């Protein structure tokens, strides 16, 4: 039996993969440790979305060559997107690496551990396209917020993106399997779930297409939300990332009408220019994107939005960048991840377009958007002054342990002094007296019962 440590890079899906792998290994008798130095096996769960993310892992595992020289019994493994993308090539770059496992083969890691114990090395499990296995449904302990993977892969093939190449084709779990996993987590104490899928509004679409049951009105994701909404004790449902192409009327009406579905929507835009969106193969226009936002705002006026943007996509002119800036100002996002385009080998953009925008120019565009965002978020947060917000209490703030923290359903971080009777997982009303770009500050004025929608109280109390 081994002690192991998992270091996770990248997205929430990777965090969930690490958690399920850890639960699986622990069920087999291995033990997770909190410190790298205490582990016999070090596992790196990697991200390939940008080149920088891959360089970080190569650098980190490269340094560990010295550790292996000192302690040859220590084993090193790379799993996840980078493992899938580079496979056995990783043994050429990092000869001291012991195993590489791809995104679809995490359930094979216990078997790899057995082989390591037999003294084998340079082990791989890289095949793709298998069924989603139940062994990976397990969670660690009780988390107030549970991450739930509802599907794997992506069929969108945005021209810049490596994900369809590393995570394979879209495959959705059944509503029954997901509901059972969520019920179990809620029984263990989870109050909130974050549903995960690269293209989550396409949940069930590949299967429906195969069965000849797909139509523009189809939204199995809306059906899934409806089913999860019935689970007693579950207070909040979030999801990421929806894609405008599959956000039809059924989906929009469902998310707006179900009280437990938080009205903070992360809807990646990527670019505010139709020519760039087409070159990215995003599958929607700016007008369709904005219509979708308007549609949601009409049904849920309190809704707020966050997004992903890429600056410096090949050929993006200054004027086209300004169009993105303009759309961001129109939508008034509450948060945005802004990325500089990173060429990824094997993607259509890398094969057909020249990454000719200088890095300095990408950095300037990135900074311009961040500055705009700071100004607008600061203003939007000021609207909370004097108002009360319902917060799901998370516990002590990491920065100042005398304060506690929680989130509103609109995903605003609230900081407040605790009361004796408050425990994590409780809902309470916070009166807001100070705001910054990142947080709202205030005091507890009421310990509340679950209500329909927290920030709906904005302006009403
Ligand atoms: N599936 C989600 C969607 O389509 O919106 C996003 C998943 S992707 C892992 C997260 C974000 O990384 C994307 O929304 C995009 O903004 C960014 N991204 C992906 N490939 C990139 C690249 N080659 N260069 C820069 N950013 C990239
Ligand atoms: Fe990548 Fe596009 Fe799929 Fe998102 S939808 S994971 S950006 S290919």
């Amino acid at each position: 039996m081994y002690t192991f440590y998992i270091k996770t890079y990248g997205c929430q899906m990777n965090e969930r993969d690490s958690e399920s792998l850890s639960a699986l290994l622990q069920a087999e008798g291995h033990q997770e440790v909190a410190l790298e130095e205490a582990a016999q096996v070090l596992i790196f769960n990697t991200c390939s979305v940008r080149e920088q993310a891959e360089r970080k892992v190569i650098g980190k595992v490269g340094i560990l060559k010295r550790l292996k020289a000192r302690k040859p019994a220590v084993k090193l493994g790379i799993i996840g997107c980078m493992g899938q993308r580079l496979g056995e090539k990783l043994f050429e770059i990092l000869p001291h690496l012991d195993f590489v496992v791809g995104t679809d083969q995490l359930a094979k890691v216990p078997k790899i551990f057995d082989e390591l114990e037999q003294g084998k090395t340079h082990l791989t499990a890289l095949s793709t396209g298998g069924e989603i296995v139940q062994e990976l449904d397990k969670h660690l302990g009780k988390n107030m917020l549970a991450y739930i993977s509802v599907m794997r892969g992506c069929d969108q093939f945005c021209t810049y993106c490596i994900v369809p190449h590393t995570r394979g084709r879209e495959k959705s779990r059944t509503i029954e399997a997901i509901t059972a996993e969520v019920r179990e987590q809620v029984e263990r104490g989870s109050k909130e779930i974050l549903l995960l899928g690269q293209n989550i509004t396409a949940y069930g679409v590949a299967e429906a297409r195969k069965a000849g049951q797909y139509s523009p009105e189809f939204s199995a994701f809306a059906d899934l939300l409806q089913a999860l909404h019935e689970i007693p004790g579950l207070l909040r449902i979030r999801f990421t990332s929806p894609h405008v192409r599959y956000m039809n009327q059924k989906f929009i009406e469902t998310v707006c009408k179900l009280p437990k579905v938080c009205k903070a929507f992360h809807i990646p835009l990527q670019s505010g220019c139709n020519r760039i969106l087409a070159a990215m193969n995003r599958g929607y226009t700016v007008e369709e994107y904005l219509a979708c936002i308007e549609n949601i705002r009409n049904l849920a006026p309190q809704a707020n939005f966050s997004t992903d943007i890429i600056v410096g996509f090949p050929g993006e002119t200054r004027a086209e960048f300004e169009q993105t800036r303009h759309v961001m100002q129109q939508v008034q996002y509450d948060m945005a991840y802004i990325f500089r385009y990173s060429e990824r080998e094997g993607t259509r953009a890398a094969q057909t377009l020249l990454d000719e925008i200088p890095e300095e120019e990408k950095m300037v565009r990135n900074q311009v958007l961040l500055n705009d965002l700071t100004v607008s978020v600061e203003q939007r947060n000021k609207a909370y002054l004097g108002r009360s917000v319902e917060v799901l209490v998370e516990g002590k703030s990491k920065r100042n342990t005398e304060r506690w923290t929680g989130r509103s359903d609109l995903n605003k971080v609230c900081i407040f002094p605790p009361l004796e009777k408050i425990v994590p997982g409780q809902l309470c009303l916070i009166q807001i007296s100070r705001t910054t770009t990142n947080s709202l500050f205030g005091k507890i004025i009421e310990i509340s019962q679950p209500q329909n929608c927290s920030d709906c109280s904005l302006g009403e109390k």
Side-chain angles (χ1 to χ4, degrees):
M1 291 297 131
Y2 279 122
T3 52
F4 68 92
Y5 174 88
I6 308 180
K7 169 92 183 144
T8 309
Y9 298 84
C11 62
Q12 288 147 323
M13 199 160 280
N14 277 9
E15 284 177 38
R16 171 65 194 130
D17 284 348
S18 292
E19 185 195 21
S20 50
L21 175 61
S22 175
L24 177 65
L25 287 168
Q26 292 190 52
E28 300 271 326
H30 303 286
Q31 190 197 341
E32 184 166 23
V33 289
L35 290 176
E36 216 176 293
E37 307 83 68
Q40 293 162 311
V41 186
L42 297 175
I43 303 172
F44 299 89
N45 190 4
T46 57
C47 172
S48 282
V49 168
R50 281 167 297 281
E51 197 189 351
Q52 204 190 3
E54 289 196 347
R55 270 206 235 117
K56 247 193 215 168
V57 176
I58 304 257
K60 170 76 185 163
V61 180
I63 290 171
L64 292 172
K65 193 172 182 179
R66 274 179 273 158
L67 174 78
K68 281 262 315 189
R70 258 191 304 120
K71 292 187 184 174
V74 169
K75 309 292 177 195
L76 304 176
I78 286 183
I79 64 168
C81 287
M82 196 175 152
Q84 192 68 56
R85 193 177 90 76
L86 294 171
E88 296 193 355
K89 270 192 220 155
L90 281 168
F91 296 131
E92 291 165 27
I93 309 167
L94 302 160
H96 55 291
L97 190 65
D98 293 286
F99 63 94
V100 178
V101 175
T103 46
D104 257 5
Q105 296 298 323
L106 295 188
K108 296 266 170 66
V109 176
K111 186 167 162 272
I112 289 208
F113 271 33
D114 291 343
E115 291 176 323
L116 291 173
E117 279 181 326
Q118 294 159 19
K120 295 184 187 167
T121 187
H122 285 192
L123 303 162
T124 56
L126 295 165
S127 56
T128 53
E131 288 308 307
I132 297 177
V133 292
Q134 268 188 345
E135 293 104 293
L136 293 170
D137 290 2
K138 296 289 168 227
H139 289 248
L140 291 171
K142 56 169 201 175
N143 293 330
M144 201 177 68
L145 166 64
Y147 285 1
I148 310 286
S149 281
V150 304
M151 62 195 291
R152 301 192 72 83
C154 183
D155 287 352
Q156 180 61 33
F157 282 93
C158 299
T159 56
Y160 52 81
C161 186
I162 199 72
V163 170
H165 307 268
T166 58
R167 288 196 174 264
R169 300 288 63 73
E170 271 167 20
K171 208 167 286 162
S172 298
R173 299 172 61 201
T174 62
I175 291 188
E176 294 70 32
I178 298 165
T179 312
E181 183 178 332
V182 174
R183 269 184 203 282
E184 196 181 322
Q185 278 317 106
V186 171
E187 274 160 26
R188 294 171 89 185
S190 295
K191 305 278 185 208
E192 182 173 326
I193 53 171
L194 175 64
L195 304 174
L196 299 170
Q198 290 297 346
N199 191 353
I200 203 160
T201 33
Y203 169 81
V205 165
E207 289 76 7
R209 280 207 171 109
K210 236 178 256 165
Q213 287 166 354
Y214 184 72
S215 73
E217 295 79 45
F218 176 92
S219 179
F221 189 55
D223 300 335
L224 173 65
L225 290 172
Q226 190 86 53
L228 296 173
H229 199 268
E230 304 302 312
I231 296 178
L234 177 64
L235 301 183
R236 288 178 175 177
I237 304 172
R238 301 185 194 274
F239 55 85
T240 194
S241 293
H243 192 288
V244 169
R245 208 170 144 195
Y246 301 98
M247 292 174 72
N248 58 18
Q249 203 55 28
K250 174 175 170 183
F251 165 78
I252 290 178
E253 281 173 14
T254 305
V255 293
C256 291
K257 85 171 182 213
L258 294 178
K260 291 181 184 177
V261 174
C262 296
K263 305 297 182 275
F265 300 108
H266 183 78
I267 312 180
L269 167 68
Q270 312 298 0
S271 168
C273 162
N274 283 335
R275 189 189 75 80
I276 298 287
L277 285 176
M280 287 176 162
N281 188 35
R282 284 297 290 176
Y284 54 81
T285 60
V286 170
E287 292 71 25
E288 283 162 341
Y289 182 95
L290 290 174
C292 193
I293 301 264
E294 194 184 327
N295 209 341
I296 295 176
R297 280 195 167 133
N298 283 339
L299 295 178
Q302 78 278 24
N304 76 14
F305 298 90
S306 56
T307 198
D308 291 350
I309 302 282
I310 297 177
V311 293
F313 183 79
E316 183 192 61
T317 63
R318 256 284 171 172
E320 288 170 331
F321 163 72
E322 286 297 330
Q323 290 181 33
T324 300
R325 215 176 155 194
H326 179 63
V327 173
M328 287 186 76
Q329 272 154 8
Q330 274 177 283
V331 177
Q332 289 285 302
Y333 292 105
D334 275 67
M335 200 277 289
Y337 294 113
I338 298 161
F339 303 104
R340 285 176 271 142
Y341 173 72
S342 165
E343 187 175 86
R344 305 311 291 133
E345 193 189 335
T347 60
R348 193 136 58 83
Q351 287 160 353
T352 57
L353 301 166
L354 212 58
D355 178 18
E356 88 274 72
I357 298 179
E359 210 46 38
E360 303 77 64
E361 176 61 17
K362 289 180 190 169
M363 279 158 91
V364 169
R365 293 181 191 183
N366 190 335
Q367 198 52 50
V368 168
L369 296 188
L370 284 177
N371 292 348
D372 285 356
L373 192 69
T374 306
V375 171
S376 79
V377 175
E378 227 162 53
Q379 243 168 23
R380 289 176 65 76
N381 282 358
K382 274 196 185 132
Y384 281 87
L385 281 172
R387 292 175 175 163
S388 58
V389 174
E390 189 182 60
V391 159
L392 185 58
V393 176
E394 287 171 12
K396 284 182 183 167
S397 152
K398 280 188 190 134
R399 282 208 184 152
N400 176 351
T401 51
E402 285 180 11
R403 303 222 169 151
W404 278 41
T405 173
R407 263 168 213 272
S408 72
D409 84 336
L410 292 185
N411 226 354
K412 293 286 172 190
V413 174
C414 296
I415 317 272
F416 49 90
L419 294 181
E420 236 168 56
K421 49 192 170 179
I422 288 289
V423 291
Q426 211 158 9
L427 287 164
C428 54
L429 273 186
I430 308 285
Q431 174 120 45
I432 304 301
S433 54
R434 185 163 75 85
T435 64
T436 64
T437 325
N438 299 322
S439 315
L440 312 178
F441 296 81
K443 64 172 193 223
I444 299 172
I445 52 167
E446 198 179 305
I447 298 169
S448 54
Q449 293 304 312
Q451 292 175 358
N452 279 358
C453 166
S454 58
D455 298 20
C456 305
S457 64
L458 201 64
E460 287 173 12
K461 297 212 176 201

